[in-house]
Amino acid sequence: MSSIDVTAGGPIEGTFSIDTSPGPGVYEFRGARGTGKTTCISSIDWLTGHKVDITLHDGAVSGKVEGFGVVAPIGGRKRRKGELAVDTIDAEKFSIIDILDPKGKTPEVRDATRIKAVAVLSDVKADPSLYYELVGGQVEFDALGLPPTSDPVVLATRIKQAFDKQACEKENTADAEAKHAAPLELVPDDLDTSQSADLEQLGSERDQARDEHQRLKDAREHGLDKEREIANAKERLASLQSEYNGPTVEDADTARQASIAKGTAAKARVEELERELTRARAIVDTCKSEYTAADQTLAAAKSHFAAIADLEALASQTCEFPTEDQIAKLAEAVEVNTAAYNQGVRLRDVKQNQEKALVHRNAEKAAATAAEEARNKAGQVFDIFSQSLNAKHLQIKSVDGNPRLFVEHPKRGTTAFDQVNGLSDGERVDFALRELLPHIESPGLLPIPQRVWQDLQPADRKRLHALAIDKNLYLFGAQVADGELRVVYLGASQNG
């Protein structure tokens, strides 16, 4: 068969025949808007086996696309018949159109479709084992808790998101540990960290100073009490000495001895002088009274002079005790030792806080290292996925957490595949064809979206035509032109 026929598809009424007898090369649909150019491109895509939406022409009961040995019905539930006599991209869900001009408002959405298409066209499955080595093994991979998926792009994205989440959690942990450590690392400006923090020694020195200070204070109080006692003894001694007017002990004893002698003489005279018995008895009674009085006087004298002797002994004592200056100096020593102890307490607390801070800093470092490792692993996910595609010209990189498609441009270096800040339409077609050609046997059949094709420069179209002939490809494109729907083989004419 040397033509492709599109019957009752979209705006096409009847059958529109596409003459393919010139052979491989570029075939360009031309015509005004609404004449069926896009329908022709979609019909060829449908002919190759890809699922596309083609509506029946208004009023038509059935339609079809027929060519290269295949009849593909439009509308209804009839199945396609025949085997395609040319090779194409073997995939139902995706075609080259999904790489060149996928749907989506943002580059991220469009690239996601492109990457899925490349994965499917490269027969790449969602294989978790590709990432076991990166994760640390199957057990570690299973521990990520990722839901199963048959989409390799979703799998790679979820793995990267898992690592990003781990990194974020570890970064939060590192930040929290740093916040814990920062206040613990502060050292008061008035704290001399070179001083001892041996609280046992400092406390002993402080307590010794306190005890010595208290001992001196007690000694001084005792001395002052003793001094007052001596003064009182002196006052009492002077008072007793001035108030007493009786005989001395010696005088009282002499009087007592005389009374005894006198009584003895009286008794002798009583015996001798009975006549003087009455008077003698009176004298004896008097002597007894005098004896009693003298004895009492002697006792009083002994008591008086004994008290005087005690007071004189006390009054003659000297009293030595700590001075106020000595106590003041010891009070200063207590203050110094107490201050040293208190500083030791502060220094101990600072050192303990620094030890705690070190624990937090180590935890911060470990978390930061883990976060960096997770970030590095996240950055490798799309590299592994990209390698699994066995792509020669296309590569996947992460941009703001999203998988993006890039190429190595001969002049601009690494360049986004998407049209936004990336390749031109012609360059995208060129890179896509170079990537897909190894997957297509000769002859091949590929449709190019109208939006992409019509923006190509004439030189790009000529170059693609030459490439198609060289690689034995049937390429189909479309552009808006005046007039009815028609097809032009670029090798025969460049005019519409």
Side-chain angles (χ1 to χ4, degrees), residues 56-104:
L56 277 172
H57 184 73
D58 290 344
V61 176
S62 64
K64 65 180 179 178
V65 180
E66 184 176 3
F68 291 112
V70 172
V71 177
I74 299 175
R77 297 183 178 181
K78 294 182 180 180
R79 295 183 178 182
R80 57 191 297 116
K81 298 179 180 180
E83 292 185 4
L84 197 64
V86 293
D87 196 23
T88 186
I89 296 174
D90 187 16
E92 293 185 359
K93 293 183 178 180
F94 298 100
S95 71
I96 191 173
I97 294 176
D98 297 300
I99 297 176
L100 296 176
D101 191 30
K103 297 179 181 180

Side-chain angles (χ1 to χ4, degrees), residues 12 16 23 29-30 57 88 115 134 145 220 239 242 292 332 338 388 433 442 472 474:
I12 297 174
F16 178 75
F29 298 109
R30 298 178 184 175
H57 184 73
T88 186
I115 295 170
L134 176 67
R220 178 171 176 78
S239 175
S242 63
T292 299
E332 292 177 0
T338 299
S388 72
L433 287 177
S442 177
N472 205 21
Y474 289 84

Side-chain angles (χ1 to χ4, degrees), residues 224-236:
L224 290 174
D225 290 343
K226 191 68 174 180
E227 190 176 56
R228 287 191 290 270
E229 185 180 356
I230 292 172
N232 290 335
K234 289 180 179 179
E235 290 179 4
R236 289 178 58 201

